[in-house]
């Protein structure tokens, strides 16, 4: 046996008591020559010296907390040939470590249970010990620690076993004394009725289905999943519904599938998900995935074409007949919105799935729709190095660019599954009915998501389904038709934004420069300008919608209009903004003009002087142009205002415009001329300070004829009047009212911004010849 290695061989003998090995004196006495029986002496000299001697020393070290050691080391110094010779075996000399040595050894053991040879040599010199003694002490100490841990685990398992035994006894007692669920008296067992036979057949079918679901769940979790113990007789069925099994059944992973069922377990939001919680999440995700695929593939009668706009509307009666709500019934006061849209995008399925499953990339792709998002828990990363089976818990804040529509805060599961080669599906479903929420829930996300199928040449076909329930009382009357039709947060907006963003990425990755672009800008300069424009647009959206990601304060000074929201914040140590007090003001109005006409008017630099006070009353000239899509409205421009006289310096305005089927955007900000020269030459755009302003345009929604005098929206009066196509325009400004962050906001600053918004809206109406 190698020197310094301790083993614990088992020696089974009925003639040697166990407590004998705890005495070092007895173990040494066993090594003396046996005169009466020479064969036994040889056996004892070998086995006890090599086996029992080592074991007794280990248990001795354990009883002394690893503080004692032998002077000789491992016990292999004894020559077994002397057991039968003339000379008696040499006795082992034991050495007890001093308290100071033990203290030093224990201190190093806490820091490093496995010291290397250099550490052992240094410690042996410091403690005046041999290196073998130090080595053996650490070996014994690790063995002792392992034994203590095993004892603790055994104690816990013993307690759990006692608990299960007590629970088993209570169940057996309940089975011996069944109670009738109808009258509460003792149950009488008689002949099996026809109804009971049907129950047995149904029970067997449900058990097979449960086994199938558990097997599927085991694949995604990477471990076997067992379902709850199912009763195998009508007697146990009766007992289970009485409440005796209530404690056991409450811990199962099943979710409510009935219309009037409530979740059996609610997961507190202030603790991480346990194994049981994750099993519940997985079952919910599987049910949501099944519903999403069916809603994406089924046409009439589930989806009906809208006569007015040609969009698909959900037949709610058919939906309730086809599906069982997987997150319970709709809360009182909530309304439902549902939409489906199909489109072709310039991205393959794998890249799109990766974008959707990464919260940062998802927020960047839909930056005008998502105010903020985060992944709070990753339940499964997928299988085989892919996203197939990936399941994660996410939070998101979804927005419409208007102060009249509150931000939607949702907590949901996102589940990804590959259904075939090149066919993927990603589904979202709210978990508010499973996991307790610390805030009042104003929106629930029913199974929603997309089915993606690869097409030739790197394209993909996307079928998007959006289904939600929300509190309509929080939404202004102007935007209710837009939201109820599914055009606000619906599938059309998601698909249109995805198409526009993918088209922009394809153009940026292309080596050819569009003909409309200015060739004087280098490739690095184009990237810097686009990065600056995206930061400008993100800041604009943050000023319009008061999400939790961007902290704004509501001032109590000044008189502002009822539909104008004014907020302030302090800008400190942000190189992308001028320091001081920033004031943001936004409002939304209805205009009886089409969204396309309104967008063309606001983005035209030749007509800018009709509404923009920064234009100095004259026309503007486009100095640079970067295309972001096939549509001429998707671009980034650099405009220069003409100076009215020689003493007035010209200024530059960075502008980004984008348009798709769901709406359009015009965002601009004054920029410093030297700073823009650096950016156009490929310099870092993070240090360019700007405060954006601009406009967001969306259709007013089907059935809306604009506001009337009492603030409500006109509907179809039944008089045969034709549909008036209108737009909902959001106007927002961010202005630096004081360059000192410690300054106080004045009433004059608030009223000035309020007047600026009112004046701009009136100028736009006058230019478009709209009624005031």
């Amino acid at each position: 046996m190698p020197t310094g290695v301790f083993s614990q061989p088992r020696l089974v003998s009925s003639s040697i008591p166990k407590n004998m090995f705890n005495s070092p004196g007895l173990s040494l006495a066993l090594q003396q020559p046996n005169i009466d029986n020479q064969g036994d002496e040889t056996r004892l000299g070998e086995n006890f010296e090599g086996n029992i001697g080592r074991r007794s020393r280990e248990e001795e070290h354990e009883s002394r907390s690893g503080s004692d050691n032998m002077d000789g080391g491992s016990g292999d110094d004894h020559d077994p040939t002397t057991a039968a010779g003339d000379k008696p075996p040499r006795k082992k000399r034991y050495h007890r470590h001093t308290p100071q040595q033990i203290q030093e050894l224990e201190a190093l053991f806490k820091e490093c249970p496995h010291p290397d040879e250099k550490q052992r040599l240094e410690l042996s010199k410091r403690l005046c010990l041999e290196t073998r003694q130090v080595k053996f002490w650490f070996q014994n100490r690790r063995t002792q620690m392992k034994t203590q841990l095993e004892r603790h685990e055994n104690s816990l398992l013993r307690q759990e076993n006692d608990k299960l035994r007590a629970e088993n006894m209570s169940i057996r007692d309940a089975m011996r004394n069944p109670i009738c669920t109808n009258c509460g008296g003792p149950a009488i067992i008689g002949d099996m009725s026809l109804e009971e036979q049907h129950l047995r057949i149904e029970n067997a079918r449900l058990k097979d289905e449960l086994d199938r679901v558990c097997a599927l769940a085991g694949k995604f979790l990477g471990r076997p999943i067992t379902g709850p113990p199912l009763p195998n007789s009508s007697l146990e069925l009766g007992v289970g519904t009485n409440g005796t099994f209530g404690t056991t059944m409450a811990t199962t992973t099943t979710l409510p599938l009935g219309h009037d069922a409530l979740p059996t377990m609610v997961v507190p939001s202030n603790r991480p998900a346990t194994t049981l919680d994750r099993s519940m999440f997985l079952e919910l995700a599987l049910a949501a995935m099944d519903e999403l695929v069916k809603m994406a593939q089924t046409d009439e009668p589930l989806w009906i074409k809208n006569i007015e706009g040609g969009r698909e509307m959900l037949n709610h009666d058919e939906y309730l007949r086809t599906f069982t709500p997987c997150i319970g019934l709709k809360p009182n006061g909530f309304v439902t919105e549902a939409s489906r849209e199909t489109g072709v995008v310039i991205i393959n399925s794998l890249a799109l799935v990766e974008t959707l499953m990464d919260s940062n990339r998802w927020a960047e792709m839909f930056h005008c729709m998502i105010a903020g998002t985060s992944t709070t828990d990753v339940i499964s990363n997928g299988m085989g190095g892919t996203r197939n089976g990936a399941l994660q818990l996410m939070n998101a804040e979804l927005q419409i660019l208007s102060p009249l529509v509150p931000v939607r805060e949702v907590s949901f599961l996102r589940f990804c599954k590959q259904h075939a080669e090149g066919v993927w599906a990603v589904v979202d479903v709210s978990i508010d009915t499973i996991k307790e929420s610390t805030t009042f829930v104003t929106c629930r996300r029913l199974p929603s998501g997309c089915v993606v199928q690869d097409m030739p040449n790197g394209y993909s076909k996307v079928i998007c389904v959006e289904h939600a329930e929300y509190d309509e009382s929080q939404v202004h009357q102007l935007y209710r038709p837009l939201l109820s039709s599914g055009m606000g947060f619906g599938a059309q907006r998601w698909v249109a934004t995805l198409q526009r963003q993918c088209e922009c990425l394809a153009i940026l990755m292309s080596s050819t420069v569009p003909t409309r672009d200015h060739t004087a800008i280098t490739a690095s300069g184009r990237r810097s300008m686009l990065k600056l424009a995206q930061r400008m647009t993100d800041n604009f959206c943050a000023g319009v919608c008061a999400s939790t990601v961007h902290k704004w304060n509501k001032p109590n000074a000044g008189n502002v209009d009822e539909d104008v929201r004014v907020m302030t914040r302090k800008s400190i140590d942000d190189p992308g903004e001028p320091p001081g007090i920033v004031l943001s003001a936004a409002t939304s109005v209805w205009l009886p003009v089409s969204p396309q006409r309104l967008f063309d008017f606001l983005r035209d630099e030749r007509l800018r002087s009709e509404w923009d006070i920064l234009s100095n009353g004259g026309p503007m000239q486009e100095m640079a142009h970067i295309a972001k899509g096939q549509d001429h409205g998707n671009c980034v421009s650099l405009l220069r205002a003409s100076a009215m006289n020689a003493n007035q310096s010209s200024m530059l305005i960075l502008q980004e415009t984008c348009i798709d089927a769901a709406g359009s955007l015009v965002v601009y900000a004054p920029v410093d001329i030297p700073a823009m020269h650096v950016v156009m030459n490929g310099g870092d755009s993070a240090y360019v300070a700007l405060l954006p302003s601009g406009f967001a345009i969306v259709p007013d929604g089907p059935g809306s004829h604009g506001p009337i005098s009492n603030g409500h929206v006109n509907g179809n009066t039944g008089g045969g009047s034709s549909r008036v196509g209108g737009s909902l325009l959001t106007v927002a400004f961010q202005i630096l009212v004081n360059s000192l962050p410690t300054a106080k906001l004045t009433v004059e600053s608030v009223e000035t911004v309020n007047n600026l918004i009112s004046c701009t809206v009136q100028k736009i109406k006058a230019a478009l010849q709209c009624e005031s």
Side-chain angles (χ1 to χ4, degrees), residues 256 402 429 514 531 587 659:
S402 172
V429 60
K531 187 175 181 180
T587 189
I659 184 171

Side-chain angles (χ1 to χ4, degrees), residues 15 97 125 224 321 512 543 595 597 608 663 687:
S15 62
H97 299 324
K125 291 180 180 179
R321 285 192 295 266
T512 60
R597 181 189 172 195
R608 196 180 186 95
Y687 298 96

Side-chain angles (χ1 to χ4, degrees), residues 733-752:
F733 290 97
Q734 291 187 37
I735 298 177
L736 185 71
V737 295
N738 199 309
S739 59
L740 295 176
T742 58
K744 292 184 178 181
L745 185 66
T746 61
V747 178
E748 291 77 9
S749 300
V750 177
E751 292 180 348
T752 299

